[in-house]
Amino acid sequence: MTLRRLCGIFLLQSLCQSFFTPCDGGNILVLPLEGSHWINMEVMLEGLHGRGHNLTVMRASTSWYIKERPDLYTSITVEVNEDIEVVFSSLISEHVRLQREGGSTISFLKLTMYFLSIQSRAHSLFADGLSRTIEDKNMVKRLIDSKFDLVLTDPAIGSGLLLAKYLKLPVVLNVRWITTGEGHFAIAPSPLSYIPALGSGLTDKMTLFQRIKNFFFLCLAMFPGKFISEPIYEAVCEKYIEGGCDVTSLLQEADIWLFRSDFVFDFPRPTMPNVVYIGGFQCKPANPLQQELEEFVQSAGEHGVIIMTLGTFVDSLPKEVAEEIASVFAKMPQKVIWRHKGERPSTLGNNTLIVDWMPQKDLLGHPQTKVFVAHGGTNGIQEAIYYGVPVLGIPLFFDQFDNLVRLQARGAGKILQLADINGHNFEVALKEVLLQDSYRENMQRLSRLHRDQPITPMDKAIFWVEYVMRHKGAAHLRTEAYKMSWFSYYSVDVVLFLLTVVTVLLLSVMVLLRSLCCRNRRKLKDKQN
Amino acid sequence: MTLRRLCGIFLLQSLCQSFFTPCDGGNILVLPLEGSHWINMEVMLEGLHGRGHNLTVMRASTSWYIKERPDLYTSITVEVNEDIEVVFSSLISEHVRLQREGGSTISFLKLTMYFLSIQSRAHSLFADGLSRTIEDKNMVKRLIDSKFDLVLTDPAIGSGLLLAKYLKLPVVLNVRWITTGEGHFAIAPSPLSYIPALGSGLTDKMTLFQRIKNFFFLCLAMFPGKFISEPIYEAVCEKYIEGGCDVTSLLQEADIWLFRSDFVFDFPRPTMPNVVYIGGFQCKPANPLQQELEEFVQSAGEHGVIIMTLGTFVDSLPKEVAEEIASVFAKMPQKVIWRHKGERPSTLGNNTLIVDWMPQKDLLGHPQTKVFVAHGGTNGIQEAIYYGVPVLGIPLFFDQFDNLVRLQARGAGKILQLADINGHNFEVALKEVLLQDSYRENMQRLSRLHRDQPITPMDKAIFWVEYVMRHKGAAHLRTEAYKMSWFSYYSVDVVLFLLTVVTVLLLSVMVLLRSLCCRNRRKLKDKQN
């Protein structure tokens, strides 16, 4: 029964995909973010392009990942002062180096300061690009004349939101993180009692002391947004948008949130009617490997293959860590494919293939792949879930630790901190994930749950983008909450009113009782006299 | 573009329907509720039957609406003491009579007491039926031997939840109302600042005094649940379920909430990952009318047709109201079809056809239908939205006023209170809804929004029922909130801890300062001496 039903669902999904009829096409202005965020945005753009929509992408002149692709979109290139690759990659290498220094409070503070400096430089760069765009009258005329139906943007930077406000266009977000932390915190009630804050490493089951820790981590997570990025964008708002604006309000006014997560991956929590979960939308059935790689993978026989990559930003690990890891790999009966651009470790075994780039999805979807050693970026983790491959995680920055915590809580992954890694614990952890069946079983359960949706996450994303075009927004899905002052939203005024009424009533009763009492006493005295 | 796109969506919807492959079938135990709730549950059962599932329906021996239908389901008939039709219909006629008496506080109190007496009798009847089921060892054996995959129930009565707990089965709810009011209040954060309580007649935009009113209406709406129905079920829990249970916890433990609403109809609000919106799932394209009725409808010419019905429970209005309404209808150039079982009004015009029953959906879907005069039951209102027919509403009880308030807030309907109706205001209101284009335009906008979904609400419902079968529940979609005590959920313990720490710190500083101060003073004194 189960198999036939699942077949039914998959058949349904693929038919849904093919029966979305092509259409004359809308006109979409896209403001993406660099790096891994662009990798998934590009997949979404390919989907929208396939439906016949015209896409215009705003990119920085020094863009690192966002190249011109006339086959897919028209590019609008905005001059910026700094080289984005240099800003990101140099800062991130430094971040990794500091992280390796270890768990002392001073390291933690240094790391935090470093992280804030990355954020500040990046937001200033994008806000500056936005100002130049608005200052350029020809550019503004071009944008208005293009008659865009909507702005599609990743609000981890605020420029897309601001430009949409300036051009008075509906907004669709391709989102997980915003300038103040996890996206939901801007629009949905988020009880801290079971919703872990960014970076806390907590799950949805917390003791009292973990909940106290969670409170402090929320403050910490919101700090960079409130005091670094938001003021940068608010200055732009004040200058160019009548009446000013702030990033939080702009987020709350967005029409649809295409949220790059789902409740197989994330802990369940309150959500909102205009949040559409598209986690793993970039995943597709794996393609066959190139012959040479396929031969290498098959040569592993029954032991299978381990694959390792640390994502978009990090080419290599500190030398001593790479040496330790290579020596462990060399001892394993498995074959290993390792994306590593740094110096070739001297301890490298014959079973390990070092590559500059790997077809990650196709390898994850290969039945020979047994473990994925990864940094825990959202894209990679969602691909691991889609293909059902357990993860040994080495989180480096951003949301990676939190992502891996979610896998670990479900028994589908294990975390090793970069600061603690040595040959011994890496070997123990790797063998645990490889040899304990529960890791694979749990991950495959997550995979079954994730794949079991009435339509694919990608079709959902496309549907809701087109929905916003058809109805010129989706205002009816936004709550009234965002228009209210905090004291009205939290009913502070109602409570104060009721307290006042109760106090006045109590006082009146007391005064009445007192006057009655006095009168009686007086009468008693009169009688006695 | 728009038309082609919409065609694409409708094509997709119908294809989705046909490509859900039939399967060997699950085994579903259904505990429905009487009246209009059964009407929509039966539509859902037809959908599930079409997918090859075996259905077993538990019905009361004196059931009013739930007949035996061996073509659709196996019936399990439970003996109950009272005739359900008599309980409901006599009590409801009395309710309508009292409502007509008007808006004084005494009428309101009488009405409230009457409403509570209906609730109390109904819940006692169902709880008693449940106790008999559990006491009957053969019945329990039959239920266990049937190896049901899940319980599908309408939690406006609690018996389905309790039986599922007793049989340790996953639960899918077909729900809008629960024993304590609107369903969401049991599981989702519900800020009273923009979420109107049952019966308040408020929208999501409230002034301070409306928000105070909302607070009192929430207390009022929760009263019958907390003090009448829940204790009835808790007594059953205590007797038959190890460790006892309560209805609220059982609701929070339910796997999937198929919610008979959506955010075209309802005001947007926070929701939960396991709530699936299936509002209007019972709606289908209209069938052609029978020849005689079609001829009557066509004879209306360009003026079109008005249809009027007051739903499942109410056959007729008080005589004087019926007379007034009939005389207004007689003056109209439209033709009128009126479901009315009471005495034939003497003022009835030739243009008015009185019927015992009408094909409501087919008439609402007929292009000649211009206005729907209705009581505002959820089914009828959702059908009016589906077919885009504006509504003149005469709310009688339950959620009808609240439903109509939602339409009125969108300019798609108008409300007349039964207590206030007379010929004059009925005529004014009817002409307003008929002749002001905005009512029809707004309703048709709602219709377009409602119909624009990636899969039909019925397919969504079936998908999630089967999902619970495939995965033996959907525990991963339930938040941790329901396992927490209220003081942990609201972080009261965290706040107390932090306040204690701050107080201790402040006191320590004060003590320190004081001792320093004293020492200095003493030194000063010593010096002076």
Side-chain angles (χ1 to χ4, degrees):
Chain A
M1 182 184 87
T2 311
L3 190 63
R4 286 187 64 186
R5 275 198 195 147
L6 278 172
C7 288
I9 299 303
F10 291 138
L11 180 61
L12 172 68
Q13 286 190 346
S14 52
L15 280 162
C16 282
Q17 265 173 316
S18 25
F19 285 107
F20 263 77
T21 52
C23 61
D24 301 341
N27 214 0
I28 303 172
L29 178 61
V30 187
L31 276 92
L33 181 60
E34 283 291 338
S36 60
H37 289 237
W38 168 249
I39 291 175
N40 71 54
M41 182 67 103
E42 196 174 22
V43 176
M44 190 178 287
L45 297 189
E46 280 162 2
L48 288 166
H49 181 74
R51 297 274 299 156
H53 301 296
N54 301 317
L55 308 169
T56 304
V57 172
M58 291 195 83
R59 57 186 286 282
S61 54
T62 60
S63 178
W64 182 16
Y65 268 75
I66 309 168
K67 307 294 174 205
E68 297 204 354
R69 274 196 64 185
D71 60 314
L72 185 61
Y73 51 79
T74 307
S75 298
I76 292 183
T77 303
V78 179
E79 287 301 318
V80 294
N81 288 333
E82 293 194 81
D83 186 314
I84 292 183
E85 179 170 357
V86 173
V87 172
F88 275 90
S89 60
S90 64
L91 287 172
I92 282 173
S93 305
E94 182 61 13
H95 189 281
V96 171
R97 196 190 59 75
L98 277 169
Q99 198 171 26
R100 177 64 185 164
E101 277 183 9
S104 74
T105 314
I106 291 172
S107 296
F108 178 76
L109 285 177
K110 264 193 197 168
L111 253 176
T112 306
M113 293 310 293
Y114 221 84
F115 191 73
L116 295 184
S117 76
I118 297 179
Q119 290 222 340
S120 174
R121 278 181 74 178
H123 288 295
S124 298
L125 190 151
F126 289 114
D128 185 50
L130 177 66
S131 297
R132 284 174 197 229
T133 307
I134 298 179
E135 292 281 356
D136 180 346
K137 282 188 185 158
N138 289 332
M139 177 69 86
V140 171
K141 189 174 178 314
R142 179 180 168 186
L143 291 174
I144 292 171
D145 290 348
S146 298
K147 292 197 168 52
F148 291 111
D149 291 304
L150 59 88
V151 168
L152 173 63
T153 188
D154 185 325
I157 52 151
S159 356
L161 293 166
L162 265 71
L163 190 60
K165 180 83 177 172
Y166 184 75
L167 298 172
K168 299 190 177 77
L169 288 173
V171 175
V172 175
L173 306 177
N174 173 3
V175 53
R176 183 148 180 255
W177 304 103
I178 54 173
T179 52
T180 47
E182 210 264 356
H184 282 109
F185 280 82
I187 46 162
S190 305
L192 278 183
S193 47
Y194 67 94
I195 299 176
L198 173 64
S200 66
L202 295 165
T203 72
D204 54 351
K205 295 176 192 70
M206 295 181 240
T207 63
L208 171 62
F209 285 98
Q210 285 174 327
R211 283 185 283 117
I212 294 166
K213 178 181 171 189
N214 199 33
F215 169 78
F216 285 111
F217 267 87
L218 180 74
C219 300
L220 206 64
M222 293 188 76
F223 177 84
K226 285 280 170 220
F227 297 98
I228 296 176
S229 63
E230 294 209 346
I232 292 172
Y233 294 111
E234 269 166 41
V236 183
C237 271
E238 204 140 304
K239 197 163 172 194
Y240 301 107
I241 289 167
E242 215 186 299
C245 60
D246 63 279
V247 174
T248 307
S249 309
L250 294 179
L251 282 165
Q252 290 170 336
E253 284 174 30
D255 292 277
I256 293 289
W257 288 55
L258 301 175
F259 208 92
R260 292 195 302 273
S261 179
D262 62 24
F263 296 113
V264 171
F265 170 54
D266 223 329
F267 302 122
R269 52 156 297 135
T271 172
M272 283 300 196
N274 61 343
V275 181
V276 177
Y277 294 90
I278 60 160
F281 74 94
Q282 77 275 23
C283 302
K284 290 177 192 166
N287 290 318
L289 301 174
Q290 282 196 336
Q291 197 187 342
E292 210 174 328
L293 198 57
E294 177 67 29
E295 280 168 13
F296 179 78
V297 165
Q298 290 302 349
S299 71
E302 58 170 352
H303 297 296
V305 173
I306 297 163
I307 62 174
M308 174 163 174
T309 169
L310 297 176
T312 320
F313 288 124
V314 181
D315 290 331
S316 60
L317 285 168
K319 193 166 178 277
E320 79 284 6
V321 182
E323 289 287 348
E324 297 262 14
I325 287 178
S327 72
V328 173
F329 282 154
K331 283 192 250 174
M332 305 295 290
Q334 283 75 23
K335 291 282 165 95
V336 181
I337 302 169
W338 184 5
R339 178 180 175 276
H340 177 78
K341 282 190 183 170
E343 199 177 315
R344 198 177 168 86
S346 62
T347 50
L348 206 69
N350 287 335
N351 65 338
T352 305
L353 182 67
I354 295 266
V355 292
D356 264 7
W357 174 88
M358 63 164 81
Q360 186 174 300
K361 291 183 204 170
D362 303 333
L363 276 168
L364 282 171
H366 199 291
Q368 279 286 70
T369 303
K370 303 300 177 201
V371 171
F372 183 31
V373 183
H375 62 310
T378 305
N379 290 348
I381 292 299
Q382 284 177 336
E383 286 157 20
I385 291 176
Y386 180 84
Y387 297 111
V389 180
V391 172
L392 174 58
I394 306 167
L396 300 174
F397 38 75
F398 298 138
D399 53 344
Q400 298 164 5
F401 183 41
D402 295 280
N403 291 340
L404 291 166
V405 162
R406 277 145 187 75
L407 281 196
Q408 189 165 266
R410 273 71 169 246
K414 195 174 169 72
I415 301 175
L416 270 184
Q417 292 290 3
L418 186 61
D420 307 329
I421 281 188
N422 57 43
H424 174 68
N425 62 18
F426 185 76
E427 184 176 350
V428 170
L430 185 62
K431 284 188 173 163
E432 187 181 322
V433 180
L434 256 171
L435 304 176
Q436 272 186 26
D437 288 341
S438 64
Y439 284 98
R440 193 164 192 88
E441 285 162 10
N442 287 326
M443 195 54 150
Q444 295 201 333
R445 192 183 136 265
L446 295 185
S447 181
R448 280 195 302 279
L449 288 171
H450 170 75
R451 286 174 177 237
D452 196 0
Q453 301 187 45
I455 65 169
T456 65
M458 177 60 123
D459 284 341
K460 242 194 280 183
I462 291 176
F463 175 86
W464 286 103
V465 169
E466 294 183 351
Y467 184 95
V468 170
M469 284 184 207
R470 282 194 288 275
H471 305 289
K472 307 199 182 313
H476 66 288
L477 297 179
R478 289 193 304 240
T479 65
E480 282 298 300
Y482 79 100
K483 295 180 194 157
M484 306 176 85
S485 60
W486 68 268
F487 60 88
S488 294
Y489 175 80
Y490 288 110
S491 293
V492 175
D493 46 5
V494 173
V495 172
L496 285 180
F497 178 89
L498 294 177
L499 279 180
T500 310
V501 170
V502 170
T503 312
V504 168
L505 273 177
L506 283 179
L507 284 177
S508 309
V509 171
M510 274 172 63
V511 168
L512 195 73
L513 284 178
R514 211 173 155 176
S515 71
L516 280 175
C517 203
C518 289
R519 200 185 295 169
N520 287 348
R521 236 185 261 163
R522 230 178 292 140
K523 274 187 193 169
L524 209 67
K525 265 191 185 172
D526 290 349
K527 269 189 192 173
Q528 285 171 344
N529 292 344
Chain B
M1 178 186 89
T2 312
L3 190 66
R4 286 188 64 187
R5 273 197 198 150
L6 278 171
C7 288
I9 299 304
F10 291 137
L11 178 63
L12 171 68
Q13 285 191 347
S14 53
L15 280 163
C16 282
Q17 263 171 321
S18 26
F19 285 106
F20 264 77
T21 51
C23 61
D24 301 341
N27 214 0
I28 303 172
L29 178 61
V30 187
L31 276 93
L33 181 59
E34 283 290 338
S36 59
H37 289 236
W38 168 249
I39 292 175
N40 71 54
M41 182 67 102
E42 197 174 20
V43 175
M44 191 178 287
L45 297 189
E46 281 162 1
L48 289 166
H49 180 74
R51 295 273 301 155
H53 301 297
N54 302 316
L55 309 169
T56 304
V57 172
M58 291 195 84
R59 57 186 287 282
S61 54
T62 60
S63 177
W64 182 15
Y65 268 74
I66 309 167
K67 308 294 175 206
E68 297 204 350
R69 275 195 63 183
D71 61 314
L72 185 60
Y73 50 78
T74 307
S75 298
I76 292 182
T77 303
V78 180
E79 287 301 319
V80 295
N81 288 334
E82 294 194 81
D83 185 313
I84 292 182
E85 180 168 0
V86 173
V87 173
F88 274 91
S89 60
S90 64
L91 287 172
I92 281 173
S93 304
E94 182 62 12
H95 190 281
V96 170
R97 195 189 61 73
L98 278 169
Q99 198 170 25
R100 177 65 184 163
E101 277 183 10
S104 73
T105 312
I106 291 173
S107 297
F108 178 76
L109 285 176
K110 265 194 197 167
L111 253 176
T112 306
M113 294 310 293
Y114 220 84
F115 191 73
L116 296 184
S117 76
I118 297 179
Q119 289 222 341
S120 174
R121 278 182 72 179
H123 288 296
S124 297
L125 190 151
F126 290 114
D128 184 50
L130 177 66
S131 296
R132 283 174 198 231
T133 308
I134 297 179
E135 291 283 355
D136 180 345
K137 282 189 183 158
N138 290 332
M139 177 68 86
V140 170
K141 188 175 179 315
R142 178 180 168 186
L143 291 172
I144 292 170
D145 290 348
S146 297
K147 294 197 166 51
F148 292 111
D149 292 304
L150 59 90
V151 169
L152 173 64
T153 188
D154 185 325
I157 51 152
S159 354
L161 293 166
L162 264 71
L163 190 60
K165 179 84 177 173
Y166 184 76
L167 297 172
K168 299 190 177 81
L169 288 172
V171 176
V172 176
L173 306 178
N174 173 3
V175 52
R176 183 147 181 257
W177 304 104
I178 54 172
T179 54
T180 47
E182 210 265 359
H184 282 109
F185 281 81
I187 46 164
S190 305
L192 279 183
S193 47
Y194 67 94
I195 299 177
L198 174 63
S200 65
L202 295 165
T203 71
D204 54 351
K205 294 176 191 71
M206 295 182 241
T207 62
L208 170 62
F209 285 98
Q210 286 175 326
R211 283 184 283 117
I212 293 167
K213 180 182 169 187
N214 198 34
F215 169 77
F216 285 111
F217 266 87
L218 181 73
C219 300
L220 206 65
M222 294 189 75
F223 177 83
K226 285 280 168 220
F227 298 99
I228 296 178
S229 62
E230 293 207 347
I232 293 172
Y233 295 111
E234 270 166 41
V236 183
C237 269
E238 203 138 304
K239 198 163 170 191
Y240 301 108
I241 289 166
E242 215 186 299
C245 61
D246 63 279
V247 175
T248 307
S249 310
L250 294 180
L251 282 164
Q252 290 170 335
E253 284 174 30
D255 292 276
I256 293 289
W257 289 54
L258 301 175
F259 208 90
R260 292 195 301 275
S261 181
D262 62 24
F263 296 113
V264 172
F265 171 54
D266 224 327
F267 301 121
R269 53 155 297 136
T271 174
M272 284 299 196
N274 60 343
V275 181
V276 177
Y277 293 90
I278 59 159
F281 73 95
Q282 77 275 22
C283 302
K284 290 176 192 167
N287 290 318
L289 301 174
Q290 282 196 335
Q291 198 187 343
E292 213 174 325
L293 198 58
E294 178 67 28
E295 279 167 15
F296 179 79
V297 165
Q298 290 301 348
S299 71
E302 57 169 352
H303 297 297
V305 174
I306 297 163
I307 63 172
M308 173 162 174
T309 171
L310 297 176
T312 319
F313 287 124
V314 181
D315 289 332
S316 61
L317 285 167
K319 193 165 177 279
E320 78 284 5
V321 182
E323 289 288 348
E324 298 260 16
I325 288 179
S327 71
V328 172
F329 282 154
K331 284 192 251 174
M332 306 295 289
Q334 283 75 23
K335 291 283 166 93
V336 181
I337 302 169
W338 183 4
R339 180 182 174 274
H340 176 78
K341 280 190 186 171
E343 201 178 312
R344 199 177 167 84
S346 62
T347 51
L348 205 70
N350 288 334
N351 66 337
T352 307
L353 182 68
I354 295 266
V355 291
D356 265 7
W357 174 88
M358 63 164 79
Q360 184 174 301
K361 290 182 204 170
D362 302 333
L363 276 168
L364 282 171
H366 198 291
Q368 278 287 71
T369 302
K370 302 299 177 201
V371 171
F372 184 29
V373 184
H375 61 311
T378 306
N379 290 349
I381 292 298
Q382 282 177 336
E383 286 158 19
I385 291 175
Y386 180 83
Y387 297 111
V389 180
V391 172
L392 173 59
I394 307 169
L396 300 174
F397 37 75
F398 298 140
D399 53 343
Q400 297 164 4
F401 183 40
D402 295 281
N403 290 340
L404 290 166
V405 162
R406 279 146 185 74
L407 281 196
Q408 189 165 267
R410 273 72 171 246
K414 193 174 170 70
I415 301 175
L416 269 185
Q417 291 290 3
L418 185 61
D420 306 330
I421 281 188
N422 57 41
H424 173 68
N425 63 17
F426 185 75
E427 184 177 348
V428 170
L430 185 62
K431 284 187 174 163
E432 186 181 323
V433 179
L434 255 172
L435 304 176
Q436 273 186 25
D437 289 342
S438 64
Y439 283 98
R440 194 164 191 87
E441 284 162 11
N442 287 327
M443 196 55 150
Q444 294 200 331
R445 192 183 136 263
L446 295 185
S447 181
R448 280 195 301 279
L449 288 171
H450 169 75
R451 286 174 178 238
D452 197 2
Q453 300 186 45
I455 65 167
T456 65
M458 178 60 124
D459 283 341
K460 241 193 279 182
I462 291 175
F463 175 85
W464 286 102
V465 168
E466 294 182 351
Y467 184 94
V468 169
M469 285 185 207
R470 283 193 288 275
H471 304 290
K472 306 198 184 312
H476 66 288
L477 297 179
R478 288 192 305 239
T479 64
E480 282 299 300
Y482 79 101
K483 295 181 196 159
M484 305 177 86
S485 61
W486 67 268
F487 59 87
S488 294
Y489 175 81
Y490 289 109
S491 294
V492 176
D493 46 4
V494 173
V495 172
L496 285 180
F497 179 88
L498 294 177
L499 278 179
T500 310
V501 169
V502 171
T503 313
V504 167
L505 274 178
L506 282 178
L507 284 177
S508 311
V509 171
M510 274 171 64
V511 168
L512 195 74
L513 283 177
R514 211 172 155 181
S515 72
L516 280 176
C517 204
C518 288
R519 199 185 297 167
N520 285 349
R521 237 186 259 162
R522 229 177 293 140
K523 275 187 189 168
L524 210 66
K525 265 191 186 173
D526 290 348
K527 270 190 187 170
Q528 284 171 343
N529 293 343

